[in-house]
Every structure is written in C-alpha cells, then in structure tokens.
Amino acid sequence: VLRLNGSREKVDEGVEAYKSRVAPAFRERDGYSGARLIVDRSTGAAMSITFWRDGETSRASFEAMTSIRAETTSSFGAGTPEAKVYEAAVQHRPQPTEAGNWVRVTTLSGDPTKVDEGIRHFESRVIPEMSKLQGFRGAILLVDRATGEAIAFTVWDSEPDLEASSSQAGPVRATASEVMGASDPQVESYEVAFAELSAPVGT
C-alpha cells in the first residue's frame, strides 16, 4: 500500500502517469497479481494498492521501482509517499473492481493478538452484512500481524451507493473495531481511477 498526499490540480496527471508508466512496469515484475489506484479528487490524496504472490516479490518490486515511483509521486504533486507491506488476509470479489467504482477505506490500529479473531469476524459478519446492501461489489482485508494494524476496503458501484451504505456500515465497523481491539478507526472514501486483476482469487 502506497499513500500519496498530492495536489487536487494534479490528480488527472497522476492517474495518466500511473496508467502509462507504473502499471506496465508492474506487469513486468515477477509475482504481480493486480493493482488498484484510488483517488480523492477533493484533497489530492491517492492510494496505490498492489497485490503480489508473497512478501518477497512485493519487497523486491518496491526496491526495483524506486525511480518510477518517484516520477509518479511527482506527477501527483506529492512529497515522500508512505509505503507499507500487508498480508491480504481476505479477498472477497463477487464482482470485479472497475474504474468509476467507489471504495470505503477503514484503517484500524488493533491488538496483534486479536488479528485472527478479526479476520474470522470480517469473513463471517462484515462481508455478509455488507453483501445485503445496494451496490456492494467486494471487500478486502489487509493485516499486519506484528502490529495489529488492518485496512479494510469495501467496494461500491457508485458514490451514491457508498454514501447510502454509511448508516449501516457504522455499527458494523464499530463491532469489528472492538473485535480487533481497536479504537478511533480512520474512515476515508475514494474513487477508483484504475483497477486490474492478473490472477484469479477465490471468494
């Protein structure tokens, strides 16, 4: 996961640079299995989420792409990006993520001893609850077992669908936070600017 705090005026330029330079470079790397670029046009913030076969290929790609990452970061008008490797603990994709979809991103700082319990809760409670709502397309949970940090992504057809789900998502998020030993989750909304999946993933 790469977080960029860029300029609102440069979002389109950054998206084009990602599509034309970064995505092709990803495809040449061993272990690559997909990428998402999500943006907040109101602030200029962006996140690049790339999926790799394992931690080794993820770290190798990060080291190999230093220059192209710097070029893309500059195209967004951003300073030094924040980058971190997570385990993709849950990948539920009943429908593909596509450009124009919207994503709710919830970041939790939890208890490392409760990660497995949180994963089970996400699979057994969060996904079924979200699946009942209009416009739901999928959900992903990334975790750092060493720190207890987790990032949950829910994908929606459109911004109105995402907004309409907010009232139902609140209590679900509160319970999930409690299960993971987390407080004050950070919640953000982004537009999907680019998405591709190179390897099939089970639901």
Side-chain angles (χ1 to χ4, degrees):
V1 175
L2 191 73
R3 290 181 178 264
L4 301 168
N5 291 311
S7 166
R8 290 181 298 177
E9 293 76 19
K10 290 196 169 186
V11 168
D12 287 332
E13 179 182 342
V15 170
E16 288 307 311
Y18 193 92
K19 291 179 180 178
S20 63
R21 299 273 291 142
V22 180
F26 285 149
R27 296 176 194 126
E28 295 177 357
R29 299 295 309 175
D30 177 50
Y32 173 70
S33 60
R36 306 284 183 273
L37 176 66
I38 57 179
V39 299
D40 183 340
R41 294 183 182 276
S42 67
T43 66
M47 293 178 68
S48 168
I49 306 102
T50 52
F51 296 87
W52 302 86
R53 183 174 61 238
D54 49 36
E56 181 180 349
T57 54
S58 175
R59 285 185 285 271
S61 73
F62 187 81
E63 294 171 3
M65 297 181 64
T66 300
S67 61
I68 195 169
R69 184 169 57 254
E71 176 185 332
T72 306
T73 299
S74 176
S75 71
F76 273 98
T80 303
E82 175 190 345
K84 191 166 183 180
V85 176
Y86 295 87
E87 173 190 343
V90 181
Q91 299 188 63
H92 176 71
R93 296 186 172 116
Q95 296 186 67
T97 299
E98 300 172 337
N101 292 160
W102 278 71
V103 180
R104 179 179 295 111
V105 180
T106 303
T107 304
L108 305 170
S109 295
D111 182 341
T113 66
K114 295 184 176 181
V115 169
D116 284 329
E117 185 179 354
I119 292 170
R120 289 192 294 269
H121 180 82
F122 192 83
E123 292 178 315
S124 65
R125 298 295 298 278
V126 175
I127 289 175
E129 288 298 319
M130 293 297 98
S131 297
K132 298 174 184 177
L133 304 180
Q134 175 69 33
F136 175 78
R137 298 183 70 86
I140 295 172
L141 179 66
L142 309 182
V143 300
D144 182 334
R145 293 180 181 274
T147 66
E149 183 179 349
I151 307 179
F153 301 84
T154 55
V155 186
W156 305 87
D157 282 338
S158 65
E159 185 178 16
D161 288 325
L162 180 147
E163 292 176 346
S165 71
S166 294
S167 59
Q168 294 97 326
V172 174
R173 179 169 57 249
T175 302
S177 299
E178 183 178 351
V179 169
M180 296 197 76
S183 59
D184 300 321
Q186 177 186 357
V187 183
E188 305 163 279
S189 298
Y190 290 89
E191 175 190 345
V192 178
F194 173 85
E196 70 177 11
L197 184 65
S198 299
V201 176
T203 60

